[in-house]
Amino acid sequence: RKEVEQDPGPFNVPEGATVAFNCTYSNSASQSFFWYRQDCRKEPKLLMSVYSSGNEDGRFTAQLNRASQYISLLIRDSKLSDSATYLCVVLQAGGSYIPTFGRGTSLIVHP
Amino acid sequence: EPEVTQTPSHQVTQMGQEVILRCVPISNHLYFYWYRQILGQKVEFLVSFYNNEISEKSEIFDDQFSVERPDGSNFTLKIRSTKLEDSAMYFCASSEAARTQYFGPGTRLTVL
């Protein structure tokens, strides 16, 4: 069975902390990788795509390790507004790229 | 900024009734999707739709489910005879090129 696994947390960190999440995937033929953010009872919102060379967007850095089949998300200088669930999404190669979601990692940033 | 919209935001129905959930994808997008999320669980793929036909579907998407693009803007999910376990948040998403997907705000379906 092709799975995407995440530590559910919660990760409880103070403002200003650096926090990192990992996500492992089992299908080596996976094509594309994303981090989404989901607030309570809201829709997932795209945070960033994950490229093979790694990529950064402000305080957020995403990395892909194909050999070990995991992706990571690093958040620097955490803000209260970063509190959310972070979803790892992997697209399997199929007719139209079937997405598989992880269960998400909960982040709580406290003052 | 263009966005995906969904109606209604909350639908309450009796077991055995039919429901239709509606979505308006982003206008220049070509790929459309339905997902569900049972409370406290992960987002689950139901179906993808491209060029007026289903391109992929999961094992959840059985004969009780159907999708339609009745005109140039709407994309609907029909559940023919709802069951208690269909209670969930249903998200529509659209994509320009079958990779990055943008989600609507969801419809909360409650089956009594």
Side-chain angles (χ1 to χ4, degrees), chain A residues 35-91:
Chain A
W35 284 103
Y36 279 76
R37 167 198 170 123
Q38 186 174 31
D39 293 288
C40 188
R41 295 179 180 256
K42 300 284 190 181
E43 74 273 26
K45 291 193 174 177
L46 179 68
L47 182 64
M48 58 198 303
S49 304
V50 187
Y51 303 123
S52 297
S53 54
N55 48 301
E56 188 173 307
D57 183 2
R59 298 182 292 110
F60 299 86
T61 301
Q63 299 273 355
L64 166 63
N65 186 318
R66 283 194 185 271
S68 302
Q69 294 183 202
Y70 76 85
I71 67 172
S72 64
L73 177 68
L74 180 79
I75 305 175
R76 288 181 297 278
D77 188 23
S78 301
K79 312 288 185 198
L80 296 177
S81 57
D82 293 335
S83 298
T85 297
Y86 291 83
L87 308 178
C88 170
V89 181
V90 175
L91 291 193

Side-chain angles (χ1 to χ4, degrees), chain B residues 11-92:
Chain B
Q11 174 89 50
V12 181
T13 190
Q14 295 289 327
M15 191 169 58
Q17 294 297 303
E18 174 183 287
V19 294
I20 298 176
L21 310 183
R22 291 184 165 78
C23 168
V24 179
I26 294 172
S27 62
N28 63 331
H29 285 187
L30 302 176
Y31 298 83
F32 314 116
Y33 308 84
W34 283 102
Y35 297 85
R36 79 172 185 192
Q37 187 175 30
I38 295 169
L39 189 63
Q41 299 190 23
K42 66 178 181 178
V43 176
E44 298 175 290
F45 169 77
L46 293 178
V47 66
S48 59
F49 193 86
Y50 170 72
N51 202 24
N52 285 319
E53 60 182 25
I54 290 174
S55 43
E56 300 284 351
K57 60 182 181 178
S58 71
E59 60 269 18
I60 302 169
F61 194 88
D62 61 22
D63 292 344
Q64 291 298 310
F65 291 88
S66 62
V67 290
E68 203 175 38
R69 188 157 161 80
D71 52 43
S73 58
N74 289 284
F75 179 51
T76 62
L77 175 70
K78 182 193 290 186
I79 309 175
R80 283 191 188 80
S81 178
T82 49
K83 303 188 279 285
L84 294 177
E85 54 265 36
D86 293 328
S87 293
M89 195 76 162
Y90 287 81
F91 293 110
C92 172

